[in-house]
Amino acid sequence: MGKLVKFIILSRVSKGGLIALVGFTVYLTVIDLVTFEGVTHGYLKVPLYLSLGYTVAVYALFSFIFSSLGGFVITKADVDYLFTLPIDRKTLGTALFLSYLVISALLMAFLASLTYNVYLTAVSPLLGISMVSLGVITSALRVEYRALAVAVIALWLLSPVWGFPFSPTSVAIGDLAQGLLVGSLYAGFLVYLAIRVLGNYDQLIMRNVASAPPEEKKLVSLSASTPFTAFLKLRLAYLPVHVRFRSSGAPTGYATRVATMRTSFVASSVAAAAYFFAFRYLEGSGLLVLGVAIAATYVSAFGVLMSMSNISMERAWLTVPYLGTKFLKYLVFGVYLQVLILVMPISVANFLLSPLNPLFLYAGLNAALNVPLESALLTYVFAATVPIQARDELTYVNFEYRARNALPALVFMSITSLGNMGIALLSLPLIIGTGLTVALLLMLLLRDRLVRRVINRMTENGYV
């Protein structure tokens, strides 16, 4: 079992990737310790609500992703090689489960190390273990029930804000022993339930692999005078959604779920209206900073989703040999414009709330300035490091986490944490400075010489 788990882990995360993940986590944990000492002695001020809200937002997001994947991802290499080995299917399912427990624990530790709260970093491996287990347990549920389960757990993790001490995240308010105990019981209980589900996992995989997903199509007229205007027209016509997975964790294919930009903008406006009225109600309560931190993290996560989707679902990839470096430039600018339009309602809602609390002014500036630029930069980074192109309906993705593949996550977490700190500390220089830095970095990266290298890397990785 130990050799099988090691084999599965190293088939997904290279040794360099593991070293980078552990190294960054240790480095950031040391910074958390220094920050904790500074806060204890009054030299620094890091809002507790910011750390707790960020942790719960990240946990809820990844828990829902894991539940959609069935706890872990089955790759093409698994289908071609791992599933053909003469190994008992229950043993194989358990080995897959254990390997993802290790990967998820390391991932959550890295994400929590950016909270500037060393106590949350201490409990984070238990939260990572529970994410995978929860995904296995809820994999057979409908999407709305999975979302409801994640929402209930997120509220429980937020409960220390209301004085409820029996939660893993109670470590953030000083209950270290009790938080670790509750976290261990929570993770252990979910692991026990997940192992009981794993007996039929092979049958679930095979049933989902054998079925073909539906495909939705929509015609978009691209008649334009130049390729640039055609790219913009495509970006403003539809909203690509990233790859679709079956609940077992086996991707049965990639079907673009077509949503027009008009429909998406209406949905964004409705969400912004709900945001406005919800925070009107929370104004004056202790949950204000917490809620804004969670909302800001999710707005940034939406920008990452758009970056990934515009790379993997880009239908104009065949134009790369013709357009050359212009392809990536057009795509980066198109993503920037697309995300700017879709986050604008949230920005307006924040600006309307700013007379009640200056916190909303900074949240609005962060959404309007930093999130679109972050999405544009991440589109470039994904193209340079993980250029996955979902061409066919039944093509599996072979993906391994290498050291260079950690770059998109590092870019996202760095910009998001800087933006959240700027909001919490009401620091206009921090927010404006982050945006200007990203814009300057984009200008430097979009030079022809560098873009040509990225295009060559995309070609080497089979994108074109």
Side-chain angles (χ1 to χ4, degrees):
M1 178 65 73
K3 291 181 179 179
L4 187 58
V5 169
K6 180 181 177 181
F7 170 76
I8 294 172
I9 290 176
L10 292 179
S11 71
R12 285 155 169 76
V13 187
S14 68
K15 290 182 180 179
L18 280 174
I19 292 172
L21 186 60
V22 174
F24 279 119
T25 302
V26 172
Y27 171 72
L28 292 170
T29 301
V30 172
I31 293 179
D32 288 346
L33 284 169
V34 174
T35 304
F36 175 73
E37 288 297 321
V39 171
T40 302
H41 292 88
Y43 303 127
L44 297 172
K45 182 180 179 182
V46 179
L48 171 64
Y49 290 143
L50 175 64
S51 299
L52 191 58
Y54 162 79
T55 302
V56 174
V58 168
Y59 179 84
L61 178 64
F62 278 88
S63 293
F64 184 74
I65 292 173
F66 273 114
S67 70
S68 301
L69 300 177
F72 39 88
V73 179
I74 306 301
T75 66
K76 185 178 185 296
D78 295 332
V79 176
D80 292 342
Y81 177 70
L82 192 61
F83 288 170
T84 64
L85 296 178
I87 300 175
D88 176 72
R89 289 300 180 249
K90 188 172 183 179
T91 302
L92 182 57
T94 303
L96 279 164
F97 175 64
L98 292 176
S99 66
Y100 270 92
L101 289 185
V102 176
I103 294 172
S104 181
L106 291 174
L107 175 64
M108 193 62 196
F110 165 70
L111 295 173
S113 65
L114 292 161
T115 61
Y116 305 103
N117 188 308
V118 70
Y119 288 155
L120 287 172
T121 305
V123 81
S124 60
L126 296 173
L127 296 178
I129 290 172
S130 68
M131 287 193 305
V132 176
S133 305
L134 183 64
V136 173
I137 296 167
T138 60
S139 61
L141 299 179
R142 295 173 57 179
V143 62
E144 55 266 29
Y145 295 128
R146 296 201 305 269
L148 178 61
V150 171
V152 170
I153 293 172
L155 286 175
W156 174 51
L157 295 178
L158 287 174
S159 61
V161 174
W162 297 286
F164 186 74
F166 302 104
S167 168
T169 51
S170 62
V171 297
I173 58 176
D175 295 332
L176 180 61
Q178 184 167 286
L180 290 175
L181 176 61
V182 175
S184 299
L185 293 174
Y186 169 59
F189 178 66
L190 290 185
V191 168
Y192 169 75
L193 294 180
I195 289 177
R196 297 194 62 179
V197 174
L198 288 174
N200 296 322
Y201 198 78
D202 186 58
Q203 289 80 0
L204 291 173
I205 291 173
M206 291 301 105
R207 184 171 70 244
N208 283 276
V209 168
S211 61
E215 182 178 2
E216 299 181 23
K217 295 181 179 180
K218 181 179 178 63
L219 296 178
V220 176
S221 174
L222 293 180
S223 57
S225 57
T226 65
F228 177 66
T229 54
F231 255 81
L232 292 186
K233 196 170 184 180
L234 186 63
R235 296 278 78 76
L236 298 179
Y238 84 102
L239 180 71
V241 177
H242 199 45
V243 296
R244 231 177 120 197
F245 291 92
R246 291 287 180 175
S247 60
S248 70
T252 60
Y254 305 92
T256 304
R257 300 180 65 87
V258 178
T260 63
M261 276 290 289
R262 182 180 301 175
T263 303
S264 302
F265 183 78
V266 170
S268 176
S269 300
V270 172
Y275 175 93
F276 176 83
F277 289 109
F279 280 97
R280 284 272 298 185
Y281 174 77
L282 289 176
E283 197 276 326
S285 71
L287 297 177
L288 187 63
V289 178
L290 177 65
V292 173
I294 293 175
T297 301
Y298 278 129
V299 171
S300 295
F302 168 76
V304 176
L305 176 66
M306 294 300 299
S307 301
M308 295 171 60
S309 298
N310 274 284
I311 286 291
S312 63
M313 288 296 185
E314 175 53 57
R315 298 298 90 191
W317 60 272
L318 284 171
T319 65
V320 176
Y322 170 71
L323 293 176
T325 59
K326 292 180 180 179
F327 168 82
L328 192 56
K329 294 179 181 180
Y330 293 168
L331 183 59
V332 166
F333 182 78
V335 173
Y336 168 81
L337 186 61
Q338 194 175 56
V339 174
L340 178 64
I341 291 172
L342 291 177
V343 301
M344 193 53 64
I346 293 292
S347 298
V348 172
N350 277 298
F351 293 146
L352 292 176
L353 288 167
S354 59
L356 301 177
N357 192 308
L359 189 73
F360 292 107
L361 174 62
Y362 295 88
L365 287 173
N366 182 68
L369 176 63
N370 292 340
V371 173
L373 287 170
E374 178 184 25
S375 302
L377 177 61
L378 280 169
T379 301
Y380 184 96
V381 174
F382 278 120
T385 58
V386 200
I388 297 174
Q389 175 55 241
R391 297 187 185 91
D392 303 317
E393 190 176 334
L394 295 174
T395 300
Y396 293 89
V397 169
N398 242 346
F399 181 75
E400 182 184 25
Y401 295 94
R402 295 185 176 273
R404 76 167 186 270
N405 295 350
L407 186 58
L410 290 174
V411 172
F412 165 66
M413 301 310 303
S414 300
I415 299 175
T416 300
S417 60
L418 286 173
N420 284 358
M421 286 296 294
I423 294 170
L425 300 178
L426 303 181
S427 174
L428 187 62
L430 186 56
I431 291 179
I432 300 296
T434 300
L436 291 177
T437 301
V438 174
L440 179 61
L441 183 60
L442 266 174
M443 291 175 61
L444 294 174
L445 290 175
L446 287 175
R447 290 179 297 174
D448 285 344
R449 178 172 58 86
L450 296 178
V451 174
R452 192 171 294 110
R453 290 184 180 179
V454 175
I455 294 291
N456 292 338
R457 178 61 64 111
M458 294 169 73
T459 305
E460 292 170 5
N461 284 289
Y463 188 88
V464 181

